[in-house]
Amino acid sequence: MSREHPLLERAHMYPRRVVDLAPAGCVYDEDVGAWRFIKTGELWVETPGREGPRTKKQDIETGEDQKGE
């Protein structure tokens, strides 16, 4: 008589997306806590004209975000 919780029975499952968030040509330096260019060792964050963060726009819309649906 094992039944899942009603919310789990109705929950929509989203496919997990694999997204590489690393800036091109960079590696994360855990000691510094920042991205560094592989070739030069310079900090990515100090590069003029760099792209801004990309994570917020790639969030998966779930739960409360779907109020209109």
Side-chain angles (χ1 to χ4, degrees), residues 30-69:
E30 292 186 15
D31 295 331
V32 178
W35 293 99
R36 286 191 180 274
F37 285 102
I38 297 169
K39 291 183 180 179
T40 63
E42 296 177 53
L43 291 176
W44 176 77
V45 72
E46 295 174 351
T47 305
R50 67 178 168 80
E51 292 180 23
R54 295 184 286 167
T55 56
K56 183 58 184 166
K57 289 185 179 182
Q58 293 179 358
D59 282 353
I60 297 171
E61 298 295 326
T62 58
E64 290 184 14
D65 298 340
Q66 296 179 347
K67 289 180 181 134
E69 293 182 15

mmCIF file of all heavy atoms in Angstrom, residues 30-69:
data_model
loop_
_atom_site.group_PDB
_atom_site.id
_atom_site.type_symbol
_atom_site.label_atom_id
_atom_site.label_comp_id
_atom_site.label_asym_id
_atom_site.label_seq_id
_atom_site.Cartn_x
_atom_site.Cartn_y
_atom_site.Cartn_z
ATOM 1 N N GLU A 30 40.765 27.647 -7.199
ATOM 2 C CA GLU A 30 40.089 27.540 -5.905
ATOM 3 C C GLU A 30 40.781 28.344 -4.820
ATOM 4 O O GLU A 30 40.138 28.805 -3.875
ATOM 5 C CB GLU A 30 39.982 26.069 -5.494
ATOM 6 C CG GLU A 30 39.038 25.297 -6.378
ATOM 7 C CD GLU A 30 38.813 23.882 -5.900
ATOM 8 O OE1 GLU A 30 39.158 23.566 -4.737
ATOM 9 O OE2 GLU A 30 38.284 23.088 -6.686
ATOM 10 N N ASP A 31 42.090 28.516 -4.910
ATOM 11 C CA ASP A 31 42.813 29.300 -3.903
ATOM 12 C C ASP A 31 42.405 30.767 -3.940
ATOM 13 O O ASP A 31 42.284 31.419 -2.908
ATOM 14 C CB ASP A 31 44.330 29.180 -4.114
ATOM 15 C CG ASP A 31 44.829 27.761 -3.875
ATOM 16 O OD1 ASP A 31 44.213 27.036 -3.055
ATOM 17 O OD2 ASP A 31 45.831 27.371 -4.508
ATOM 18 N N VAL A 32 42.198 31.295 -5.126
ATOM 19 C CA VAL A 32 41.830 32.699 -5.298
ATOM 20 C C VAL A 32 40.314 32.869 -5.260
ATOM 21 O O VAL A 32 39.801 33.895 -4.852
ATOM 22 C CB VAL A 32 42.407 33.244 -6.634
ATOM 23 C CG1 VAL A 32 41.995 34.681 -6.862
ATOM 24 C CG2 VAL A 32 43.916 33.125 -6.637
ATOM 25 N N GLY A 33 39.599 31.838 -5.717
ATOM 26 C CA GLY A 33 38.142 31.919 -5.788
ATOM 27 C C GLY A 33 37.666 32.669 -7.008
ATOM 28 O O GLY A 33 36.666 33.376 -6.962
ATOM 29 N N ALA A 34 38.414 32.519 -8.119
ATOM 30 C CA ALA A 34 38.066 33.238 -9.345
ATOM 31 C C ALA A 34 38.546 32.455 -10.558
ATOM 32 O O ALA A 34 39.371 31.554 -10.451
ATOM 33 C CB ALA A 34 38.711 34.624 -9.333
ATOM 34 N N TRP A 35 38.017 32.827 -11.741
ATOM 35 C CA TRP A 35 38.434 32.213 -12.992
ATOM 36 C C TRP A 35 39.722 32.857 -13.479
ATOM 37 O O TRP A 35 39.887 34.064 -13.416
ATOM 38 C CB TRP A 35 37.352 32.389 -14.054
ATOM 39 C CG TRP A 35 36.108 31.631 -13.761
ATOM 40 C CD1 TRP A 35 34.977 32.121 -13.203
ATOM 41 C CD2 TRP A 35 35.877 30.243 -13.980
ATOM 42 N NE1 TRP A 35 34.045 31.118 -13.069
ATOM 43 C CE2 TRP A 35 34.576 29.956 -13.545
ATOM 44 C CE3 TRP A 35 36.646 29.214 -14.507
ATOM 45 C CZ2 TRP A 35 34.026 28.696 -13.619
ATOM 46 C CZ3 TRP A 35 36.098 27.944 -14.585
ATOM 47 C CH2 TRP A 35 34.797 27.701 -14.143
ATOM 48 N N ARG A 36 40.650 32.028 -13.970
ATOM 49 C CA ARG A 36 41.909 32.505 -14.537
ATOM 50 C C ARG A 36 42.031 32.007 -15.972
ATOM 51 O O ARG A 36 41.601 30.905 -16.283
ATOM 52 C CB ARG A 36 43.104 31.957 -13.771
ATOM 53 C CG ARG A 36 43.335 32.583 -12.435
ATOM 54 C CD ARG A 36 44.698 32.134 -11.906
ATOM 55 N NE ARG A 36 44.981 32.694 -10.617
ATOM 56 C CZ ARG A 36 45.541 33.897 -10.439
ATOM 57 N NH1 ARG A 36 45.871 34.617 -11.465
ATOM 58 N NH2 ARG A 36 45.761 34.340 -9.227
ATOM 59 N N PHE A 37 42.657 32.841 -16.828
ATOM 60 C CA PHE A 37 42.959 32.403 -18.182
ATOM 61 C C PHE A 37 44.045 31.337 -18.116
ATOM 62 O O PHE A 37 45.032 31.484 -17.399
ATOM 63 C CB PHE A 37 43.412 33.571 -19.063
ATOM 64 C CG PHE A 37 42.288 34.462 -19.476
ATOM 65 C CD1 PHE A 37 42.090 35.681 -18.852
ATOM 66 C CD2 PHE A 37 41.422 34.081 -20.483
ATOM 67 C CE1 PHE A 37 41.041 36.496 -19.235
ATOM 68 C CE2 PHE A 37 40.371 34.895 -20.868
ATOM 69 C CZ PHE A 37 40.178 36.107 -20.238
ATOM 70 N N ILE A 38 43.871 30.254 -18.860
ATOM 71 C CA ILE A 38 44.818 29.153 -18.844
ATOM 72 C C ILE A 38 46.173 29.597 -19.388
ATOM 73 O O ILE A 38 47.215 29.293 -18.808
ATOM 74 C CB ILE A 38 44.279 27.949 -19.651
ATOM 75 C CG1 ILE A 38 43.004 27.419 -18.993
ATOM 76 C CG2 ILE A 38 45.325 26.860 -19.780
ATOM 77 C CD1 ILE A 38 42.244 26.405 -19.827
ATOM 78 N N LYS A 39 46.175 30.341 -20.494
ATOM 79 C CA LYS A 39 47.433 30.727 -21.147
ATOM 80 C C LYS A 39 48.225 31.764 -20.370
ATOM 81 O O LYS A 39 49.438 31.674 -20.267
ATOM 82 C CB LYS A 39 47.152 31.254 -22.558
ATOM 83 C CG LYS A 39 46.681 30.185 -23.514
ATOM 84 C CD LYS A 39 46.482 30.746 -24.897
ATOM 85 C CE LYS A 39 46.015 29.648 -25.834
ATOM 86 N NZ LYS A 39 45.800 30.161 -27.187
ATOM 87 N N THR A 40 47.555 32.781 -19.824
ATOM 88 C CA THR A 40 48.275 33.901 -19.201
ATOM 89 C C THR A 40 48.253 33.883 -17.679
ATOM 90 O O THR A 40 49.086 34.517 -17.048
ATOM 91 C CB THR A 40 47.678 35.242 -19.667
ATOM 92 O OG1 THR A 40 46.327 35.322 -19.223
ATOM 93 C CG2 THR A 40 47.753 35.375 -21.174
ATOM 94 N N GLY A 41 47.268 33.218 -17.083
ATOM 95 C CA GLY A 41 47.146 33.215 -15.633
ATOM 96 C C GLY A 41 46.462 34.451 -15.086
ATOM 97 O O GLY A 41 46.297 34.595 -13.881
ATOM 98 N N GLU A 42 46.064 35.378 -15.964
ATOM 99 C CA GLU A 42 45.380 36.592 -15.517
ATOM 100 C C GLU A 42 43.979 36.256 -15.037
ATOM 101 O O GLU A 42 43.377 35.290 -15.477
ATOM 102 C CB GLU A 42 45.278 37.598 -16.665
ATOM 103 C CG GLU A 42 46.601 38.112 -17.160
ATOM 104 C CD GLU A 42 46.412 39.046 -18.341
ATOM 105 O OE1 GLU A 42 45.620 40.007 -18.216
ATOM 106 O OE2 GLU A 42 47.046 38.794 -19.377
ATOM 107 N N LEU A 43 43.457 37.083 -14.135
ATOM 108 C CA LEU A 43 42.102 36.892 -13.643
ATOM 109 C C LEU A 43 41.109 37.309 -14.714
ATOM 110 O O LEU A 43 41.208 38.392 -15.292
ATOM 111 C CB LEU A 43 41.852 37.705 -12.374
ATOM 112 C CG LEU A 43 42.590 37.239 -11.132
ATOM 113 C CD1 LEU A 43 42.328 38.206 -9.987
ATOM 114 C CD2 LEU A 43 42.181 35.840 -10.750
ATOM 115 N N TRP A 44 40.140 36.468 -14.962
ATOM 116 C CA TRP A 44 39.103 36.734 -15.960
ATOM 117 C C TRP A 44 38.268 37.951 -15.569
ATOM 118 O O TRP A 44 37.879 38.746 -16.404
ATOM 119 C CB TRP A 44 38.227 35.492 -16.104
ATOM 120 C CG TRP A 44 37.073 35.658 -17.028
ATOM 121 C CD1 TRP A 44 37.112 35.648 -18.387
ATOM 122 C CD2 TRP A 44 35.713 35.859 -16.670
ATOM 123 N NE1 TRP A 44 35.855 35.827 -18.896
ATOM 124 C CE2 TRP A 44 34.973 35.954 -17.856
ATOM 125 C CE3 TRP A 44 35.046 35.967 -15.454
ATOM 126 C CZ2 TRP A 44 33.603 36.153 -17.870
ATOM 127 C CZ3 TRP A 44 33.680 36.165 -15.464
ATOM 128 C CH2 TRP A 44 32.978 36.254 -16.664
ATOM 129 N N VAL A 45 37.995 38.098 -14.291
ATOM 130 C CA VAL A 45 37.117 39.173 -13.811
ATOM 131 C C VAL A 45 37.736 40.546 -14.073
ATOM 132 O O VAL A 45 37.020 41.541 -14.154
ATOM 133 C CB VAL A 45 36.784 38.971 -12.315
ATOM 134 C CG1 VAL A 45 37.974 39.262 -11.430
ATOM 135 C CG2 VAL A 45 35.599 39.806 -11.894
ATOM 136 N N GLU A 46 39.048 40.620 -14.221
ATOM 137 C CA GLU A 46 39.706 41.906 -14.457
ATOM 138 C C GLU A 46 39.842 42.227 -15.941
ATOM 139 O O GLU A 46 40.434 43.235 -16.310
ATOM 140 C CB GLU A 46 41.082 41.901 -13.787
ATOM 141 C CG GLU A 46 40.992 41.812 -12.273
ATOM 142 C CD GLU A 46 42.332 41.661 -11.597
ATOM 143 O OE1 GLU A 46 43.345 41.447 -12.297
ATOM 144 O OE2 GLU A 46 42.370 41.758 -10.365
ATOM 145 N N THR A 47 39.305 41.394 -16.817
ATOM 146 C CA THR A 47 39.395 41.599 -18.254
ATOM 147 C C THR A 47 38.348 42.609 -18.711
ATOM 148 O O THR A 47 37.153 42.413 -18.466
ATOM 149 C CB THR A 47 39.157 40.263 -18.991
ATOM 150 O OG1 THR A 47 40.058 39.306 -18.494
ATOM 151 C CG2 THR A 47 39.336 40.425 -20.476
ATOM 152 N N PRO A 48 38.774 43.698 -19.391
ATOM 153 C CA PRO A 48 37.779 44.650 -19.900
ATOM 154 C C PRO A 48 36.930 44.016 -21.004
ATOM 155 O O PRO A 48 37.419 43.235 -21.808
ATOM 156 C CB PRO A 48 38.628 45.802 -20.461
ATOM 157 C CG PRO A 48 40.033 45.341 -20.462
ATOM 158 C CD PRO A 48 40.135 44.076 -19.679
ATOM 159 N N GLY A 49 35.642 44.321 -21.016
ATOM 160 C CA GLY A 49 34.733 43.823 -22.045
ATOM 161 C C GLY A 49 34.307 42.380 -21.877
ATOM 162 O O GLY A 49 33.748 41.788 -22.781
ATOM 163 N N ARG A 50 34.522 41.814 -20.724
ATOM 164 C CA ARG A 50 34.142 40.409 -20.492
ATOM 165 C C ARG A 50 32.627 40.269 -20.410
ATOM 166 O O ARG A 50 31.910 41.243 -20.166
ATOM 167 C CB ARG A 50 34.762 39.879 -19.216
ATOM 168 C CG ARG A 50 34.206 40.543 -17.974
ATOM 169 C CD ARG A 50 34.819 39.962 -16.719
ATOM 170 N NE ARG A 50 34.507 40.764 -15.568
ATOM 171 C CZ ARG A 50 33.363 40.722 -14.902
ATOM 172 N NH1 ARG A 50 32.415 39.903 -15.278
ATOM 173 N NH2 ARG A 50 33.147 41.486 -13.867
ATOM 174 N N GLU A 51 32.145 39.036 -20.622
ATOM 175 C CA GLU A 51 30.714 38.752 -20.482
ATOM 176 C C GLU A 51 30.334 38.772 -19.008
ATOM 177 O O GLU A 51 31.143 38.423 -18.151
ATOM 178 C CB GLU A 51 30.402 37.357 -21.016
ATOM 179 C CG GLU A 51 30.555 37.191 -22.497
ATOM 180 C CD GLU A 51 30.229 35.764 -22.904
ATOM 181 O OE1 GLU A 51 29.501 35.074 -22.174
ATOM 182 O OE2 GLU A 51 30.716 35.356 -23.947
ATOM 183 N N GLY A 52 29.088 39.112 -18.726
ATOM 184 C CA GLY A 52 28.605 39.070 -17.354
ATOM 185 C C GLY A 52 28.223 37.654 -16.956
ATOM 186 O O GLY A 52 28.336 36.722 -17.753
ATOM 187 N N PRO A 53 27.763 37.457 -15.728
ATOM 188 C CA PRO A 53 27.344 36.126 -15.275
ATOM 189 C C PRO A 53 26.220 35.578 -16.153
ATOM 190 O O PRO A 53 25.373 36.325 -16.630
ATOM 191 C CB PRO A 53 26.843 36.374 -13.848
ATOM 192 C CG PRO A 53 27.429 37.677 -13.445
ATOM 193 C CD PRO A 53 27.647 38.461 -14.694
ATOM 194 N N ARG A 54 26.205 34.244 -16.330
ATOM 195 C CA ARG A 54 25.213 33.632 -17.209
ATOM 196 C C ARG A 54 24.236 32.728 -16.471
ATOM 197 O O ARG A 54 23.364 32.172 -17.084
ATOM 198 C CB ARG A 54 25.927 32.794 -18.271
ATOM 199 C CG ARG A 54 26.763 33.621 -19.188
ATOM 200 C CD ARG A 54 27.355 32.777 -20.266
ATOM 201 N NE ARG A 54 28.426 31.968 -19.716
ATOM 202 C CZ ARG A 54 28.978 30.948 -20.336
ATOM 203 N NH1 ARG A 54 28.558 30.587 -21.513
ATOM 204 N NH2 ARG A 54 29.955 30.264 -19.785
ATOM 205 N N THR A 55 24.364 32.540 -15.193
ATOM 206 C CA THR A 55 23.563 31.527 -14.521
ATOM 207 C C THR A 55 22.100 31.916 -14.340
ATOM 208 O O THR A 55 21.234 31.088 -14.492
ATOM 209 C CB THR A 55 24.149 31.173 -13.149
ATOM 210 O OG1 THR A 55 24.258 32.365 -12.386
ATOM 211 C CG2 THR A 55 25.501 30.530 -13.295
ATOM 212 N N LYS A 56 21.772 33.145 -14.011
ATOM 213 C CA LYS A 56 20.400 33.511 -13.700
ATOM 214 C C LYS A 56 19.459 33.277 -14.883
ATOM 215 O O LYS A 56 18.366 32.765 -14.712
ATOM 216 C CB LYS A 56 20.330 34.976 -13.260
ATOM 217 C CG LYS A 56 18.936 35.417 -12.849
ATOM 218 C CD LYS A 56 18.388 34.577 -11.719
ATOM 219 C CE LYS A 56 16.967 34.959 -11.385
ATOM 220 N NZ LYS A 56 16.312 33.996 -10.553
ATOM 221 N N LYS A 57 19.883 33.619 -16.083
ATOM 222 C CA LYS A 57 19.006 33.451 -17.229
ATOM 223 C C LYS A 57 18.831 31.994 -17.612
ATOM 224 O O LYS A 57 17.947 31.665 -18.376
ATOM 225 C CB LYS A 57 19.547 34.235 -18.418
ATOM 226 C CG LYS A 57 19.406 35.720 -18.228
ATOM 227 C CD LYS A 57 19.820 36.473 -19.446
ATOM 228 C CE LYS A 57 19.629 37.947 -19.217
ATOM 229 N NZ LYS A 57 19.969 38.730 -20.377
ATOM 230 N N GLN A 58 19.642 31.107 -17.077
ATOM 231 C CA GLN A 58 19.538 29.707 -17.427
ATOM 232 C C GLN A 58 18.881 28.886 -16.316
ATOM 233 O O GLN A 58 18.926 27.670 -16.337
ATOM 234 C CB GLN A 58 20.914 29.144 -17.763
ATOM 235 C CG GLN A 58 21.464 29.759 -19.024
ATOM 236 C CD GLN A 58 22.836 29.241 -19.366
ATOM 237 O OE1 GLN A 58 23.406 28.445 -18.639
ATOM 238 N NE2 GLN A 58 23.372 29.680 -20.471
ATOM 239 N N ASP A 59 18.282 29.575 -15.349
ATOM 240 C CA ASP A 59 17.570 28.860 -14.296
ATOM 241 C C ASP A 59 16.398 28.096 -14.895
ATOM 242 O O ASP A 59 15.750 28.557 -15.829
ATOM 243 C CB ASP A 59 17.001 29.830 -13.250
ATOM 244 C CG ASP A 59 18.066 30.317 -12.288
ATOM 245 O OD1 ASP A 59 19.191 29.807 -12.351
ATOM 246 O OD2 ASP A 59 17.756 31.198 -11.487
ATOM 247 N N ILE A 60 16.097 26.952 -14.335
ATOM 248 C CA ILE A 60 14.934 26.184 -14.751
ATOM 249 C C ILE A 60 13.744 26.715 -13.961
ATOM 250 O O ILE A 60 13.790 26.777 -12.733
ATOM 251 C CB ILE A 60 15.137 24.671 -14.480
ATOM 252 C CG1 ILE A 60 16.307 24.179 -15.312
ATOM 253 C CG2 ILE A 60 13.863 23.893 -14.782
ATOM 254 C CD1 ILE A 60 16.717 22.760 -14.954
ATOM 255 N N GLU A 61 12.705 27.118 -14.653
ATOM 256 C CA GLU A 61 11.527 27.669 -13.995
ATOM 257 C C GLU A 61 10.754 26.537 -13.310
ATOM 258 O O GLU A 61 10.366 25.576 -13.942
ATOM 259 C CB GLU A 61 10.626 28.365 -15.004
ATOM 260 C CG GLU A 61 11.286 29.540 -15.693
ATOM 261 C CD GLU A 61 11.618 30.673 -14.749
ATOM 262 O OE1 GLU A 61 10.864 30.896 -13.796
ATOM 263 O OE2 GLU A 61 12.643 31.343 -14.969
ATOM 264 N N THR A 62 10.563 26.670 -12.008
ATOM 265 C CA THR A 62 9.847 25.629 -11.262
ATOM 266 C C THR A 62 8.950 26.260 -10.207
ATOM 267 O O THR A 62 9.120 27.410 -9.843
ATOM 268 C CB THR A 62 10.835 24.684 -10.534
ATOM 269 O OG1 THR A 62 11.631 25.467 -9.657
ATOM 270 C CG2 THR A 62 11.725 23.954 -11.495
ATOM 271 N N GLY A 63 8.020 25.473 -9.747
ATOM 272 C CA GLY A 63 7.192 25.824 -8.591
ATOM 273 C C GLY A 63 6.602 27.208 -8.629
ATOM 274 O O GLY A 63 5.742 27.520 -9.440
ATOM 275 N N GLU A 64 7.061 28.063 -7.707
ATOM 276 C CA GLU A 64 6.492 29.395 -7.562
ATOM 277 C C GLU A 64 6.655 30.239 -8.812
ATOM 278 O O GLU A 64 5.873 31.149 -9.049
ATOM 279 C CB GLU A 64 7.165 30.118 -6.384
ATOM 280 C CG GLU A 64 6.808 29.554 -5.048
ATOM 281 C CD GLU A 64 7.430 30.378 -3.935
ATOM 282 O OE1 GLU A 64 7.902 31.503 -4.203
ATOM 283 O OE2 GLU A 64 7.434 29.907 -2.799
ATOM 284 N N ASP A 65 7.662 29.949 -9.622
ATOM 285 C CA ASP A 65 7.897 30.739 -10.829
ATOM 286 C C ASP A 65 6.785 30.542 -11.857
ATOM 287 O O ASP A 65 6.651 31.335 -12.773
ATOM 288 C CB ASP A 65 9.231 30.361 -11.471
ATOM 289 C CG ASP A 65 10.396 30.652 -10.548
ATOM 290 O OD1 ASP A 65 10.219 31.463 -9.631
ATOM 291 O OD2 ASP A 65 11.467 30.077 -10.733
ATOM 292 N N GLN A 66 5.980 29.510 -11.710
ATOM 293 C CA GLN A 66 4.947 29.195 -12.699
ATOM 294 C C GLN A 66 3.562 29.606 -12.195
ATOM 295 O O GLN A 66 2.584 28.928 -12.458
ATOM 296 C CB GLN A 66 4.968 27.716 -13.028
ATOM 297 C CG GLN A 66 6.253 27.277 -13.698
ATOM 298 C CD GLN A 66 6.256 25.801 -13.995
ATOM 299 O OE1 GLN A 66 5.414 25.051 -13.509
ATOM 300 N NE2 GLN A 66 7.185 25.372 -14.799
ATOM 301 N N LYS A 67 3.464 30.727 -11.534
ATOM 302 C CA LYS A 67 2.186 31.135 -10.963
ATOM 303 C C LYS A 67 1.088 31.314 -12.003
ATOM 304 O O LYS A 67 -0.066 31.066 -11.747
ATOM 305 C CB LYS A 67 2.379 32.444 -10.199
ATOM 306 C CG LYS A 67 3.172 32.265 -8.932
ATOM 307 C CD LYS A 67 3.345 33.579 -8.212
ATOM 308 C CE LYS A 67 4.172 33.342 -6.979
ATOM 309 N NZ LYS A 67 5.220 34.290 -6.784
ATOM 310 N N GLY A 68 1.463 31.728 -13.216
ATOM 311 C CA GLY A 68 0.462 31.965 -14.245
ATOM 312 C C GLY A 68 0.004 30.710 -14.952
ATOM 313 O O GLY A 68 -0.928 30.749 -15.736
ATOM 314 N N GLU A 69 0.644 29.595 -14.712
ATOM 315 C CA GLU A 69 0.280 28.361 -15.419
ATOM 316 C C GLU A 69 -0.716 27.527 -14.648
ATOM 317 O O GLU A 69 -0.744 27.484 -13.483
ATOM 318 C CB GLU A 69 1.511 27.538 -15.712
ATOM 319 C CG GLU A 69 2.403 28.222 -16.718
ATOM 320 C CD GLU A 69 3.623 27.390 -17.067
ATOM 321 O OE1 GLU A 69 3.635 26.184 -16.759
ATOM 322 O OE2 GLU A 69 4.531 27.942 -17.643
#
